[in-house]
Amino acid sequence: MFYFYSIVTKPLTSVVLQNEICPVCSKKGTIEVVLYMKFATALIPMFGLGRPTSVHCTECGHEIKSVNTPLFAQNNYSPGIINGIKTIKANHKRTLWQLLYPWSILILLGLLCIFGLLTQYSVSRTNSQTSEMLANPKIGDVYKVNIDSMYLLNANTMGSKRSQTLFKIIDIKSDTLLMVRNKQKTEGIGVKESDWNSLSREDNTFETAPHKISLKGITERKEVFEFFNQKKIDSINKTDRVKSIDPLHFSKSIGQIPNYNGIEIVERK
Ligand SMILES: [Zn+2]
């Protein structure tokens, strides 16, 4: 984008030097000093290039000093003109807008950087708080869960659609979390916090029959593993040649803990 850059000079103020005489038309009080703001721009201003001046005669148009004259080439002007340039620069106070405007892009980039860093900081803070709470569950914690519709009791379709619902911890027995599921669900995967707002957190919106959920599955796999009933566990143990000690071997995954940055996965009062 910098390929299309250009230099802009905009007049800020001007003053006529009453005692100067034009070297061309010899008239007095016709020499005007103009002060400009100068900046590089690529559609949006990029950076400031100071305040150059130009000097010319308002009567005959003779140009004594061009706005593009570099600073170091200023030594062959009359003392009156040199003083006029000095005075106009000293007297003109730029507004805040005039000071900041030439630097628009840099200011925008700076603000974007700060915004990005703050977002990143808050996301990593939320993520570490979430991991901490998942590893140390408390009764009453409400978890956001992405669940497959086919595992929902009130599913009215045979298809498997992704849904969002809430699970609440009502008891903890070592690695087993007793959790009740919210009767409500919404379709989708809940990428944004607001996607979860329509689900009620009231006690009476949760079912009463608890699910036995593995804590290990949640902390290590970010998945909701429901333990089988004792009858099924016994039959697995009977048929397995090698006895498993992995608790997840006796369970099935019924949902996932959403893994989107910045979402408050555990709601704790
Ligand atoms: Zn003149």
Side-chain angles (χ1 to χ4, degrees):
M1 72 196 264
F2 296 115
Y3 188 74
F4 299 101
Y5 88 100
S6 58
I7 304 291
V8 173
T9 43
K10 280 174 100 169
L12 291 170
T13 185
S14 65
V15 69
V16 173
L17 305 175
Q18 295 305 334
N19 296 321
E20 279 298 304
I21 294 163
C22 175
V24 174
C25 66
S26 303
K27 288 201 172 125
K28 195 182 174 187
T30 59
I31 301 297
E32 187 184 42
V33 180
V34 186
L35 182 72
Y36 300 85
M37 67 192 289
K38 188 176 181 182
F39 54 88
T41 176
L43 297 178
I44 304 172
M46 295 190 291
F47 50 85
L49 293 164
R51 290 179 305 162
T53 49
S54 74
V55 184
H56 66 276
C57 173
T58 55
E59 197 65 32
C60 69
H62 171 61
E63 188 177 64
I64 297 170
K65 178 184 182 294
S66 151
V67 67
N68 295 317
T69 310
L71 282 173
F72 54 80
Q74 279 183 3
N75 37 14
N76 38 12
Y77 307 119
S78 73
I81 287 174
I82 290 170
N83 194 44
I85 290 172
K86 212 181 275 178
T87 313
I88 199 171
K89 281 194 172 180
N91 288 349
H92 182 259
K93 295 280 172 272
R94 273 173 288 189
T95 60
L96 190 64
W97 169 248
Q98 286 167 346
L99 275 173
L100 298 183
Y101 179 70
W103 303 90
S104 298
I105 278 193
L106 289 184
I107 291 169
L108 274 176
L109 288 178
L111 289 177
L112 278 176
C113 260
I114 292 169
F115 178 76
L117 287 174
L118 284 178
T119 310
Q120 204 179 20
Y121 171 74
S122 107
V123 164
S124 69
R125 218 175 98 103
T126 310
N127 287 350
S128 71
Q129 279 174 345
T130 296
S131 304
E132 170 87 19
M133 285 197 279
L134 288 176
N136 303 286
K138 283 203 164 71
I139 291 169
D141 282 356
V142 171
Y143 288 15
K144 294 184 173 83
V145 174
N146 284 327
I147 198 162
D148 205 299
S149 296
M150 62 186 286
Y151 295 118
L152 292 173
L153 292 176
N154 53 357
N156 48 18
T157 59
M158 288 301 288
S160 66
K161 280 185 183 143
R162 304 294 293 160
S163 297
Q164 306 155 225
T165 191
L166 303 169
F167 275 66
K168 185 156 78 172
I169 301 178
I170 56 165
D171 205 358
I172 302 167
K173 287 175 178 156
S174 63
D175 180 59
T176 304
L177 305 175
L178 291 174
M179 300 183 97
V180 286
R181 195 172 55 202
N182 201 292
K183 293 171 192 165
Q184 302 176 343
K185 64 172 169 109
T186 53
E187 258 176 38
I189 52 169
V191 180
K192 295 195 301 284
E193 192 70 42
S194 58
D195 293 344
W196 301 84
N197 287 349
S198 65
L199 299 166
S200 171
R201 272 69 167 171
E202 296 295 322
D203 281 346
N204 60 14
T205 56
F206 286 88
E207 290 166 354
T208 45
H211 299 260
K212 291 177 175 176
I213 305 297
S214 163
L215 173 61
K216 177 188 159 107
I218 288 176
T219 54
E220 291 181 11
R221 307 263 292 266
K222 296 282 191 292
E223 265 188 83
V224 181
F225 284 90
E226 179 171 24
F227 288 119
F228 298 130
N229 59 31
Q230 198 55 49
K231 199 177 158 194
K232 183 153 185 186
I233 293 175
D234 290 344
S235 92
I236 290 171
N237 272 329
K238 208 178 274 181
T239 49
D240 279 353
R241 293 227 181 123
V242 181
K243 304 285 175 246
S244 175
I245 51 156
D246 181 5
L248 300 186
H249 184 64
F250 305 99
S251 65
K252 66 169 190 283
S253 171
I254 59 167
Q256 282 88 38
I257 303 293
N259 196 20
Y260 314 121
N261 281 338
I263 285 204
E264 190 194 358
I265 288 156
V266 181
E267 299 174 12
R268 181 173 291 174
K269 278 174 192 150

